[in-house]
Amino acid sequence: MTEGEKLIPVDISEEMKSAYIDYSMSVIVSRALPDVRDGLKPVHRRVLYGMYDMGVLSSRAYKKSAAIVGEVLGKYHPHGDIAVYDTMVRMAQYWSLRYKLVDGQGNFGSMGGDSPAAMRYTEARMRKFSEDMLSDIDKETVDHQLTYDDSREEPTVLPTRIPNLLVNGSAGIAVGMATNMAPHNLSEVIDGTIAYIDNNDIEIDELIKYIKAPDFPTGGIIYGYEGVKEAFKTGRGRIIVRAKAEFQEVRGKECIVVSEVPYQVNTADLIKKTADLVKEGKLEGISDVRDESARNKLRIVYILKRDAVPNIVLNNLFKHTELQTSFSVNNIALVKGRPELLNLKDLIHHFVEHRHEVVYRRTDFELRKAKERIHILEGFMKVMATEDTMGKAIEIIRFHDKPKEDLIAEFDLTDIQAEAILALALRRINKALILQTKEEYEQKLLEIQDLEDILARKERRVEIIKQELLEIKEKYGDERRSVIEYAGGEFSVEDMIPDDKVVITISHAGYIKRTLLSEYKTQSRGGVGQKASATRDKDFIEHLFIGTNHQYMLFFTEKGKCFWLRVYEIPEGGKNTKGRAIQNLINIEPDDLVKAVICTHDLKEKDYTNSHYVIMATKKGIIKKTSLEQYSRPRQNG
């Protein structure tokens, strides 16, 4: 031990405890959780502010990513360069953020998990969207703090006009807590926010009419609605998301084509896992999987075996692969620096409160600047009052040793007014300038009156907030990408499907389709008719029914089985399509054949099923009559 040193004995468990608490608080507050007001974590905020400070705006040229990362590291964020670059990359990926914050040029990775190019190869700039998150930052609208080295200041939050936390969501793992917030549709969020502004006591059930469900950047189908309602009401919930898949015939083979996958699913891993499951025999009916995706357009094709039933294969894919995933909502964000679990209304409330503060502070700043300007204009007007006063002023400026002091004494000016007059080039003073000064003075008076009114009346500020939100909706609002399938919730599928009249045609070879009755136009007298259906060679239409989407079809087979299909489950086709093979729609055995088809009304209606009968006759002359009630309990496998 050297001289002058002193040892202090410390209890190691106490030291570990206090050190870990400090570390965990730092992770919670300064790294992993977003601020409820602008929806950003410190690193995101610093990247955007760094780009703004460099002037890499949406209207200017792209700048090397390495230059931007260096700027952010050097000035604001003294951590790893990979952390900063990865943050910037994610903000430029259309499949990661519902509304991108960075406009990237170059290879920024792919949905298949490909890495982005190194930062020395890529370029970036801000998008208009992120510029609107920084608008008015120079008007003292938000608090600033010193950076890590006390050399400059950075904002503690952005004055955002956009409810970014709701529209882009967030994910982060802190210590002892985590956050996972879903993205939403901007148009819906703004409609919901305006509804809240109009009525602060609005219930969440009312807000749900505006903000229907999350809206993921990769689209997909939100399957069932209970989890969505739970998440909106409590801040926690499990939302099931399915891929968007359809059955197609590609080069004569039945295929399942996937055009949208659930959020955050890696398509390369998905295809690999499917191939592994097929090899292991856990997924049957698939002969090949192909990734036919092109730039910005996803297409995964599952080619089916001849005897496979597409519906069964698809359900197995949903069960065993990431074509169906669940998104666990956990809305934890920082409110005044403390982590809180927030429901939908809380999130909107905190954003609106933030906008109130920003509008107030912006107006206060503009009022101060207007008063400063009017003070200078009053000085100009004293000097420019008459030709005599102007001559006197010119004489003082040209010939006096202390023009500033003499101007102040002669015209009763303040120090600031005298400085402004000295800065004005004398040769510029003419009648036009005098007129311009008077006009500007009158405009400033009106402006001050208006700004004071905004500060005095909350209803004025509310109108401004609403107007600015509507402008944002006009600029960036778009259609939903994720479809909501309410089935499985309190909505029935029928609620979502209109009960239109349709024509159902079945060909001799077993191809079935439904076509809207409205496609068959009324024929005028002497009409020559028009093509009504397409068939394959040597095929012909064998059965034709007219029904509605909500009715049931009963299929009776050679082996004595009965299968059910709702009419809306039959694929829709135009007049010129041949339809789909019945075998692909019902779980019929390969060597069985459909022999008879009936179209019935609602099988759930007791009076109807008890008063109607099915009559069957065999080739050999045996006949029987059975109550329709006995056929009123549909089973998947007949």
Side-chain angles (χ1 to χ4, degrees):
M1 214 169 96
T2 58
E3 200 181 331
E5 272 191 0
K6 186 177 167 194
L7 281 182
I8 301 168
V10 172
D11 178 2
I12 191 160
S13 65
E14 286 301 316
E15 185 63 28
M16 293 280 283
K17 200 182 287 180
S18 76
Y20 196 72
I21 285 170
D22 289 349
Y23 161 71
S24 57
M25 282 312 295
S26 167
V27 172
I28 289 165
V29 177
S30 324
R31 189 188 304 177
L33 300 185
D35 189 297
V36 72
R37 295 167 293 176
D38 64 1
L40 298 175
K41 300 177 192 177
V43 65
H44 296 89
R45 196 176 297 117
R46 285 165 176 167
V47 168
L48 291 179
Y49 187 64
M51 291 173 89
Y52 173 78
D53 204 26
M54 289 172 80
V56 197
L57 305 178
S58 61
S59 53
R60 300 192 188 159
Y62 290 92
K63 205 161 190 100
K64 271 274 181 263
S65 299
I68 296 166
V69 170
E71 179 88 359
V72 174
L73 283 185
K75 289 184 178 175
Y76 309 107
H77 197 72
H79 299 278
D81 58 337
I82 302 297
V84 174
Y85 185 51
D86 285 354
T87 298
M88 195 177 84
V89 163
R90 192 173 171 276
M91 292 198 291
Q93 292 174 336
Y94 70 88
W95 61 93
S96 292
L97 290 194
R98 181 64 181 80
Y99 299 90
K100 296 191 301 177
L101 299 174
V102 170
D103 180 8
Q105 185 166 263
N107 171 13
F108 277 79
S110 76
M111 280 174 79
D114 298 322
S115 315
M119 61 178 120
R120 62 182 178 273
Y121 299 119
T122 61
E123 297 181 336
R125 63 182 177 190
M126 293 177 80
R127 296 188 84 231
K128 281 199 166 67
F129 193 87
S130 45
E131 284 173 20
D132 273 316
M133 292 184 67
L134 282 142
S135 66
D136 304 322
I137 198 162
D138 299 331
K139 294 184 179 177
E140 295 174 15
T141 46
V142 291
D143 294 334
H144 282 65
Q145 64 190 17
L146 287 168
T147 53
Y148 68 96
D149 60 354
D150 294 352
S151 63
R152 54 178 59 77
E153 289 195 328
E154 61 174 339
T156 54
V157 66
L158 299 186
T160 177
R161 292 183 178 198
I162 295 162
N164 182 57
L165 188 56
L166 267 165
V167 301
N168 271 328
S170 186
I173 299 166
V175 178
M177 64 185 75
T179 184
N180 201 32
M181 304 179 73
H184 295 80
N185 182 276
L186 180 72
S187 302
E188 290 181 8
V189 169
I190 286 176
D191 290 342
T193 306
I194 288 171
Y196 168 80
I197 291 169
D198 289 338
N199 172 20
N200 289 171
D201 300 322
I202 192 169
E203 293 295 322
I204 289 178
D205 284 327
E206 282 290 301
L207 280 173
I208 290 175
K209 290 177 183 172
Y210 300 97
I211 305 169
K212 299 180 180 68
D215 188 23
F216 298 105
T218 51
I221 294 164
I222 292 169
Y223 191 69
Y225 201 66
E226 282 307 306
V228 174
K229 284 181 83 170
E230 184 75 11
F232 280 165
K233 287 182 175 177
T234 66
R236 282 207 171 104
R238 191 164 152 272
I239 298 168
I240 293 171
V241 189
R242 281 186 161 184
K244 187 176 174 186
E246 54 182 30
F247 305 124
Q248 284 182 16
E249 208 170 280
V250 181
R251 296 188 200 97
K253 290 184 177 178
E254 196 70 35
C255 298
I256 295 170
V257 178
V258 172
S259 54
E260 292 173 7
V261 291
Y263 186 43
Q264 293 171 331
V265 165
N266 181 317
T267 52
D269 290 351
L270 170 75
I271 290 166
K272 187 180 180 301
K273 184 169 183 199
T274 307
D276 291 345
L277 289 169
V278 171
K279 270 183 200 163
E280 289 163 19
K282 289 180 184 168
L283 268 181
E284 292 177 351
I286 295 173
S287 67
D288 193 13
V289 187
R290 286 206 302 259
D291 186 357
E292 296 181 356
S293 305
R295 184 182 170 86
N296 297 2
K297 192 164 171 59
L298 180 76
R299 182 179 163 92
I300 299 170
V301 182
Y302 298 85
I303 299 165
L304 306 186
K305 292 177 178 170
R306 286 204 176 281
D307 57 347
V309 179
N311 275 327
I312 294 175
V313 175
L314 184 58
N315 285 335
N316 278 327
L317 282 168
F318 285 144
K319 186 177 174 184
H320 296 293
T321 72
E322 284 189 306
L323 282 192
Q324 177 174 307
T325 63
S326 63
F327 185 93
S328 297
V329 175
N330 187 19
N331 291 342
I332 291 181
L334 295 173
V335 180
K336 294 181 180 148
R338 298 171 68 102
E340 277 185 30
L341 180 69
L342 303 157
N343 63 27
L344 178 64
K345 189 174 169 181
D346 296 334
L347 290 167
I348 293 173
H349 164 75
H350 289 299
F351 171 72
V352 172
E353 288 300 300
H354 178 52
R355 284 306 297 160
H356 271 293
E357 189 186 345
V358 166
V359 170
Y360 190 92
R361 288 174 67 161
R362 178 181 73 196
T363 310
D364 192 47
F365 175 84
E366 285 170 352
L367 179 64
R368 201 165 67 245
K369 290 291 173 197
K371 283 180 173 173
E372 284 170 12
R373 180 66 185 156
I374 213 161
H375 178 64
I376 288 169
L377 292 172
E378 281 168 349
F380 287 171
M381 284 164 76
K382 281 179 184 176
V383 168
M384 298 174 189
T386 64
E387 284 189 14
D388 290 347
T389 55
M390 277 169 60
K392 185 72 181 160
I394 290 167
E395 186 193 322
I396 290 170
I397 294 166
R398 275 190 178 159
F399 304 114
H400 288 213
D401 294 337
K402 292 181 178 175
K404 188 163 123 183
E405 288 81 351
D406 292 351
L407 278 173
I408 290 169
E410 178 70 32
F411 296 103
D412 188 24
L413 302 175
T414 65
D415 202 53
I416 293 166
Q417 287 172 330
E419 288 278 2
I421 289 162
L422 286 170
L424 196 68
L426 292 176
R427 66 178 176 277
R428 278 190 57 215
I429 298 177
N430 54 28
K431 280 185 180 173
L433 183 68
I434 296 166
L435 202 65
Q436 198 182 320
T437 304
K438 280 182 179 169
E439 276 177 15
E440 193 186 342
Y441 181 76
E442 281 160 16
Q443 277 174 354
K444 285 288 168 199
L445 281 177
L446 291 172
E447 190 184 317
I448 286 169
Q449 208 178 334
D450 187 51
L451 292 168
E452 282 173 341
D453 184 54
I454 292 169
L455 290 178
R457 289 171 48 217
K458 189 177 178 182
E459 51 270 33
R460 278 289 309 275
R461 299 197 294 277
V462 165
E463 276 311 308
I464 290 168
I465 291 167
K466 280 166 67 173
Q467 190 51 46
E468 287 178 354
L469 281 170
L470 289 169
E471 283 168 18
I472 291 293
K473 181 183 169 184
E474 182 66 31
K475 265 163 101 172
Y476 309 113
D478 58 1
E479 295 296 315
R480 291 191 66 87
R481 291 182 194 172
S482 296
V483 178
I484 307 162
E485 229 177 68
Y486 294 97
E490 74 269 47
F491 289 88
S492 66
V493 185
E494 283 91 333
D495 292 341
M496 312 308 295
I497 296 168
D499 198 16
D500 294 333
K501 279 197 168 184
V502 290
V503 176
I504 302 130
T505 54
I506 303 170
S507 78
H508 178 68
Y511 284 87
I512 188 169
K513 67 170 179 182
R514 70 184 159 95
T515 310
L516 282 171
L517 186 59
S518 55
E519 276 211 29
Y520 297 92
K521 301 181 186 77
T522 310
Q523 182 174 301
S524 52
R525 270 186 74 183
V528 292
Q530 54 181 200
K531 192 169 185 202
S533 188
T535 53
R536 288 186 154 187
D537 296 346
K538 296 182 183 171
D539 196 7
F540 54 88
I541 300 297
E542 192 162 14
H543 303 278
L544 189 143
F545 303 93
I546 291 181
T548 69
N549 274 329
H550 291 190
Q551 289 183 348
Y552 287 79
M553 298 290 291
L554 300 181
F555 298 89
F556 296 91
T557 73
E558 202 169 49
K559 289 190 173 181
K561 272 199 157 188
C562 174
F563 292 89
W564 296 261
L565 256 193
R566 297 301 295 268
V567 170
Y568 61 72
E569 292 176 327
I570 296 167
E572 193 172 341
K575 292 183 304 185
N576 302 325
T577 57
K578 64 178 181 355
R580 292 273 308 289
I582 293 178
Q583 270 89 340
N584 294 333
L585 301 176
I586 56 179
N587 300 344
I588 188 171
E589 290 172 28
D591 57 344
D592 202 357
L593 286 171
V594 172
K595 279 293 178 187
V597 188
I598 300 174
C599 183
T600 75
H601 289 291
D602 195 349
L603 291 180
K604 289 176 188 159
E605 204 179 300
K606 284 274 190 293
D607 295 345
Y608 175 75
T609 53
N610 287 327
S611 61
H612 286 74
Y613 298 90
V614 176
I615 295 165
M616 297 185 196
T618 69
K619 228 180 212 175
K620 293 183 177 173
I622 296 170
I623 190 165
K624 73 164 182 175
K625 169 175 131 180
T626 316
S627 166
L628 184 59
E629 196 274 330
Q630 294 193 29
Y631 294 97
S632 67
R633 288 171 288 279
R635 290 217 311 269
Q636 195 70 40
N637 56 353

